[in-house]
Amino acid sequence: MEFRDYLYAFLIGGGICVIGQLLMSYTNLTPARILVLFVTVGVFLAAFGLYEPLVKLAGAGATIPLTGFGYALGKGAIEAAGENGVLGAFTGGVIATAGGIAAAVFFGALNAIIFKPKTKK
Amino acid sequence: MTNKKPATKQELEYQQLVSERAPKSKVLAQCVKAFLSGGLICCIGQLFRDFARLCLHLGETDVASFTAIVMVFLGAMLTGVGVYDRIGSWAGAGSVVPITGFANSIVSPAMEFRPEGFVLGLGAKLFSIAGPVLVYGIGASIVVGLVSLLF
């Protein structure tokens, strides 16, 4: 737990969000498309080994943005493919991200059951 | 304005300058907000990463899973109580791009369409944005995994 870790997490994480903001401001991409785009780009960045250095440098700054979710998917699939071949290519990505996906479905449903939508401005 | 003499060159230049600057500064301001809020959310994530690594002594993959689960929980909870949408109206992409935004994109439509039933309302709309994300994310991971076998 060092200050440097948090500095890089802030800078890289913020920087990735700025890329998202520029896309939203200049291309009228909806947030849904941004999410899909970032995850898919993350998968391919992982495949080419381009995202790994960013994770090493920035920690959560690279893993918390959705590109990091894609990175975990891609890295998991490639590593599992190396061990189990075709079967691993199918199972690896989801296994590596199972915690996040399961939590999203579970907490998503739970909160939607508990809370009523607030009126939007 | 109609009967006035045509705008001088200087006036035209000025108008052009205004139209160039006005939206740009808005975009710049929004980018600064996205940077600050996105960076802050990642620092909160880093806090949980360090907690998992140093206090719970988890391995690297478990640290990633733990952090993702906690951040998704926070994003879903804050969306449920109506706070995340208020953060989002200030933060823009700073609240969309982090994984908390993914959680938000799951809870928001599920909550909104719950009156249409627990199966086709809540259950189906839960995936209205998460569905495409998982389709293309998991799809791409399988493609990448299969291609990696060729090398």
Side-chain angles (χ1 to χ4, degrees):
Chain A
M1 185 161 180
E2 287 174 46
F3 174 73
R4 204 187 62 96
D5 292 345
Y6 287 82
L7 182 68
Y8 280 122
F10 187 84
L11 293 177
I12 301 294
I16 293 172
C17 291
V18 168
I19 295 172
Q21 186 63 53
L22 288 172
L23 287 171
M24 276 170 74
S25 297
Y26 283 116
T27 63
N28 294 324
L29 281 174
T30 56
R33 284 165 190 236
I34 299 274
L35 292 180
V36 170
L37 184 73
F38 270 58
V39 168
T40 313
V41 166
V43 172
F44 286 105
L45 286 177
F48 291 110
L50 297 172
Y51 207 75
E52 187 87 32
L54 213 55
V55 174
K56 290 263 185 296
L57 176 75
T63 58
I64 293 297
L66 266 247
T67 40
F69 186 63
Y71 157 79
L73 277 168
K75 188 180 167 229
I78 291 168
E79 282 178 359
E83 288 165 20
N84 289 328
V86 174
L87 189 66
F90 277 88
T91 58
V94 181
I95 288 175
T97 52
I101 294 173
V105 171
F106 180 70
F107 292 128
L110 198 65
N111 280 288
I113 290 168
I114 296 172
F115 297 104
K116 291 221 160 61
K118 310 284 175 293
T119 46
K120 283 175 188 164
K121 295 194 266 191
Chain B
M1 289 290 273
T2 45
N3 289 332
K4 279 188 178 170
K5 59 183 177 181
T8 64
K9 199 179 161 198
Q10 278 168 321
E11 281 171 337
L12 284 173
E13 275 174 1
Y14 176 74
Q15 279 164 3
Q16 200 186 350
L17 206 67
V18 167
S19 65
E20 274 175 11
R21 292 283 167 88
K24 230 183 230 168
S25 68
K26 225 187 237 171
V27 170
L28 182 70
Q30 195 52 62
C31 281
V32 170
K33 289 178 186 173
F35 181 76
L36 294 176
S37 53
L40 191 67
I41 291 173
C42 289
C43 279
I44 296 169
Q46 185 65 34
L47 215 59
F48 287 114
R49 267 175 84 87
D50 281 341
F51 175 74
R53 193 166 52 89
L54 302 172
C55 300
L56 303 177
H57 306 293
L58 298 176
E60 201 190 325
T61 44
D62 286 341
V63 167
S65 295
F66 175 84
T67 312
I69 292 170
V70 172
M71 293 305 280
V72 162
F73 170 77
L74 289 177
M77 191 62 132
L78 289 176
T79 303
V81 297
V83 172
Y84 205 83
D85 288 325
R86 263 187 276 161
I87 296 172
S89 64
W90 188 84
S95 71
V96 173
V97 172
I99 198 163
T100 44
F102 179 62
N104 171 260
S105 78
I106 288 176
V107 176
S108 267
M111 214 158 51
E112 195 176 328
F113 285 91
R114 188 181 61 165
E116 292 185 13
F118 276 98
V119 175
L120 290 178
L122 189 152
K125 296 295 178 181
L126 200 69
F127 285 101
S128 60
I129 292 172
V133 170
L134 293 176
V135 166
Y136 293 104
I138 294 173
S141 84
I142 292 170
V143 169
V144 159
L146 289 175
V147 171
S148 78
L149 290 170
L150 304 174
F151 295 97

